[in-house]
């Protein structure tokens, strides 16, 4: 279980300090698929980075499986099964997909095992296992390989920040299928930051973040009409 208690984050800017996350409380059940959405600048990506440890909160705490991980580094959180997928996955010139998957898993891995992870994310293994992790890969290919590395690591909490960013419609369709398969397998808790209706529709629960707080949460059937109608208001935030 992931528990976030009274979390706050203030960042320095050109106009002084700005509070981006404000006393946010959120609890997510194990092996659930949660989509976090909301208006730009509402604090979604900042929240994801705080969970991973890429940013440090100015208040509150984060608990993962009943352990307070607030002060732990990114490396220590990764050892505890937390992983993060970036909007733009890094490229590694001179490193093959096979090498990357072995490094991600932290153990010796056969080519058959590597191919299995690639197949699970919808890639033809024989076409990718020996390819370099460089700019020859499309955005959609790189993102699905990144998901494969997170699966190979055995992550229990997977966080993806706007995985649809910068990819074409065909790649997005394949990416959606991949997330659907992960959800169906129920092997991990999945948090996806997204505005895309197709990803939102896959979720067990939607969490709306606005003004650095939880504005609303519920099933897609409960929340989608409010998103489409633009009815999330200041009153919603005060009631959250």
């Amino acid at each position: 279980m992931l528990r976030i208690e009274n979390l706050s984050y203030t960042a320095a800017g050109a106009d002084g300090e700005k509070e981006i996350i404000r006393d946010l409380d959120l609890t997510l059940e194990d092996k659930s698929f949660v989509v976090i959405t909301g208006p730009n600048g509402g604090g979604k990506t900042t929240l994801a980075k705080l969970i991973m440890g890429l940013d440090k909160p100015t208040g509150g705490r984060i608990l993962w499986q009943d352990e307070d991980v607030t002060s732990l580094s990114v490396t220590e959180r990764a050892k505890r099964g937390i992983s993060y997928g970036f909007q733009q996955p890094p490229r590694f010139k001179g490193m093959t997909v096979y090498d990357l998957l072995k490094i991600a898993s932290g153990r010796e891995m056969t080519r058959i095992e590597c191919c299995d992870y690639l197949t699970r994310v919808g890639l033809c293994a024989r076409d990718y296992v020996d390819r370099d992790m460089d700019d020859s890969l499309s955005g959609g290919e790189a993102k699905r390989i990144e998901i494969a590395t997170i699966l190979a690591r055995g992550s229990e909490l997977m966080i993806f920040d706007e995985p649809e960013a910068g990819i074409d419609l065909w790649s997005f369709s394949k990416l959606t299928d991949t997330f659907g398969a992960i959800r169906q397998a129920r092997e991990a808790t999945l948090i996806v930051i997204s505005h895309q209706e197709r990803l939102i529709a896959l979720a067990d629960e939607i969490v709306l973040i606005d003004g650095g707080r939880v504005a609303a949460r519920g099933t897609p059937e409960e929340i989608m009409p409010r998103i489409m109608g633009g009815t999330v208001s200041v009153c919603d935030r005060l009631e959250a």
Side-chain angles (χ1 to χ4, degrees):
M1 180 182 292
L2 176 68
R3 296 206 320 271
I4 298 169
E5 300 177 349
N6 300 316
L7 197 68
S8 297
Y9 178 74
T10 301
D15 300 324
E17 292 188 339
K18 180 180 180 181
E19 192 175 33
I20 299 175
I21 300 293
R22 300 186 293 159
D23 299 321
L24 187 147
D25 292 306
L26 183 64
T27 298
L28 302 181
E29 297 297 329
D30 285 342
K31 301 189 185 335
S32 58
F33 182 2
V34 178
V35 171
I36 296 178
T37 192
N40 291 333
K44 305 182 299 298
T45 290
T46 298
L47 176 59
K49 288 181 176 179
L50 290 169
I51 296 170
M52 188 66 240
L54 296 167
D55 289 330
K56 298 298 181 184
T58 49
R61 62 179 189 159
I62 300 168
L63 295 97
W64 170 241
Q65 307 298 31
D66 295 323
E67 179 186 6
D68 189 341
V69 299
T70 313
S71 61
L72 297 185
S73 67
V74 173
T75 301
E76 289 299 321
R77 295 187 202 204
K79 289 178 180 178
R80 284 158 174 78
I82 304 175
S83 293
Y84 189 94
F86 292 89
Q87 287 187 25
Q88 300 296 332
R91 309 300 179 104
F92 304 95
K93 187 176 181 179
M95 179 181 291
T96 66
V97 172
Y98 179 34
D99 291 334
L100 182 63
L101 283 167
K102 287 194 295 183
I103 291 170
S105 71
R107 59 184 174 83
E108 284 299 319
M109 182 183 289
T110 66
R111 289 175 64 85
I112 293 175
E113 287 177 296
C114 286
C115 289
D116 179 60
Y117 285 115
L118 292 173
T119 300
R120 288 179 63 185
V121 298
L123 295 173
C124 180
R126 68 167 180 248
D127 293 339
Y128 288 92
V129 68
D130 291 319
R131 282 189 65 174
D132 280 349
M133 278 298 302
D134 57 19
D135 291 337
S136 67
L137 294 168
S138 72
E141 289 169 333
K143 287 186 180 184
R144 279 185 282 163
I145 291 168
E146 182 180 53
I147 295 171
T149 65
I150 292 173
L151 291 172
R153 187 165 186 81
S155 301
E156 297 177 48
L157 173 58
M158 305 179 188
I159 306 165
F160 293 95
D161 186 8
E162 296 191 19
E164 69 273 15
I167 64 174
D168 57 56
L169 289 175
W170 187 88
S171 294
F172 176 65
S173 177
K174 293 295 183 181
L175 197 66
T176 303
D177 292 342
T178 297
F179 281 124
I182 295 172
R183 176 185 183 272
Q184 188 172 15
R186 298 293 182 185
E187 295 176 345
T189 303
L190 189 62
I191 298 175
V192 177
I193 312 296
S194 181
H195 297 107
Q196 284 289 336
E197 187 175 351
R198 286 180 63 184
L199 285 175
I200 290 172
L202 288 174
D204 298 310
E205 184 176 29
I206 302 171
V207 177
L208 260 64
I209 301 294
D210 189 12
R213 292 179 175 173
V214 176
R217 62 184 300 181
T219 65
E221 293 76 17
E222 293 168 335
I223 302 299
M224 277 300 295
R226 299 173 69 179
I227 295 174
M228 302 305 292
T231 58
V232 176
S233 67
V234 173
C235 292
D236 295 321
R237 294 199 296 271
L238 293 176
E239 291 171 359

